[in-house]
Structures are given as structure tokens and as C-alpha cells.
Amino acid sequence: YSESERDITGVFAHGVYKFEALTFELATRYDDVEGIDSETTINSSIGYQVTDSTQISFSTGTGFKAPTFNDLYYPLQWGYVGNSELISETSKSYELSLKSRFEQFSIAFNLYQTDIEDLIDWGNGVDKDGNVTPMNVDEVEIKGAEFGTHYQGFGGVHQFNMSYIEAENSATG
């Protein structure tokens, strides 16, 4: 690589507070990636214990992803090359969740949306020489739903998960 090292500093704080049937959670993190970017991210949630076995919760948060060494500096090989002009991804997410647990069985259902700015994508970028290279995608919207079950019995642990995901480049549709 044209660069061989970088320093990363991260500081993290997390707290949970329970009051009767409510649970509040808050987390924050500061990251400083040398020569790239720095960002503070925050995640928060509130949960309500509907019954002893069922909880509904809402969470929201922000995210940050700095380009990796491969993203930035991958040497030209087999038609792939890094892109030193990339900028960091940032995101905002929202999720509604319902979870129930019984003796040997649990179910979970989640609805979510994530909006990403400057997504780092290796799938569609080509440089001036025709080499595949990562590019930033201005705005991406991801919506989804997930359903999962978990059962412990019949001599083992059994799981079933199903997801529906809609991802779209907001600029191009």
C-alpha cells in the first residue's frame, strides 16, 4: 500500500436506566481516524415491557464508517484499484421492534429504515483506465422487515429467520 499505517482513537460511553416497565438506553462514541475524518455517533432506545414475556421498543441512531486501507490504497491488481479520494460514510437509522420470550420459544419482529450518505461501493465504480474502484454513492435508503423464531427442544436449538429488504440509490431510483 502507498500508506502503511494510521492511528485511530475511539471513546465510548453507554448507559441503561430502568424505571418500572420502561427501559432507556443511550450510547455515544467519538472516533478520530488519522488523515480521514472524525465523527461522533449516538444511539438511543426506549423499550416498554408490555407483559413479562413481551417487549416493544423504538431505537434510533447514527453511524460512521471510514474507508478501509483496501478502499483507499489497494494496489492495481487484476483490474481492481483503491480510490484515495473516498470520504467516510455516515448514516441515520430507525427501528421498531417487538420481542416475545416463552419457556423454550422466542419470536422477534423488526421494522427498520437506514439512510446512508456517501456509501462506499465497490460494485459500480470504474476509473478512467477501466479498473474497478470503490466510489461514494451520495444517498442510499434501506427499508426492511425481519422476522425470527428460536426454539430449544427436540435435542437441539432451531432457528428460522426471514428478511425483506428494499435498498435504493435515492439519487437515481
Side-chain angles (χ1 to χ4, degrees):
Y1 296 109
S2 59
E3 297 285 332
S4 60
E5 64 181 44
R6 68 180 175 198
D7 291 327
I8 301 172
T9 302
V11 179
F12 177 83
H14 176 250
V16 177
Y17 177 73
K18 292 185 177 192
F19 176 74
E20 296 179 6
L22 293 171
T23 301
F24 302 90
E25 189 169 10
L26 180 65
T28 186
R29 180 179 173 100
Y30 172 78
D31 287 284
D32 185 3
V33 182
E34 179 185 24
I36 304 294
D37 205 354
S38 63
E39 187 79 26
T40 300
T41 53
I42 297 174
N43 293 286
S44 63
S45 68
I46 183 170
Y48 179 70
Q49 200 70 37
V50 179
T51 67
D52 287 344
S53 61
T54 301
Q55 182 183 51
I56 188 167
S57 60
F58 175 77
S59 59
T60 185
T62 60
F64 166 74
K65 179 185 174 205
T68 67
F69 267 74
N70 274 350
D71 294 335
L72 295 167
Y73 312 118
Y74 191 81
L76 178 59
Q77 288 182 339
W78 304 295
Y80 292 88
V81 66
N83 179 353
S84 62
E85 301 299 315
L86 290 173
I87 58 176
S88 299
E89 293 180 13
T90 57
S91 63
K92 293 180 184 172
S93 296
Y94 310 92
E95 181 177 37
L96 180 64
S97 179
L98 176 66
K99 297 177 183 174
S100 291
R101 288 195 169 182
F102 308 98
E103 288 184 28
Q104 296 174 301
F105 181 74
S106 66
I107 60 171
F109 181 72
N110 304 308
L111 294 172
Y112 62 89
Q113 177 172 331
T114 301
D115 299 312
I116 304 171
E117 291 186 15
D118 301 312
L119 174 81
I120 298 169
D121 177 21
W122 274 86
N124 297 310
V126 177
D127 70 6
K128 62 181 174 32
D129 298 318
N131 298 303
V132 175
T133 189
M135 299 284 186
N136 287 111
V137 178
D138 290 338
E139 293 181 34
V140 173
E141 180 181 80
I142 302 170
K143 294 179 183 178
E146 299 173 329
F147 173 77
T149 63
H150 178 271
Y151 176 73
Q152 186 166 347
F154 298 119
V157 176
H158 312 279
Q159 295 184 38
F160 173 80
N161 297 291
M162 183 171 50
S163 297
Y164 173 79
I165 302 169
E166 249 181 52
E168 179 178 79
N169 180 331
S170 300
T172 64

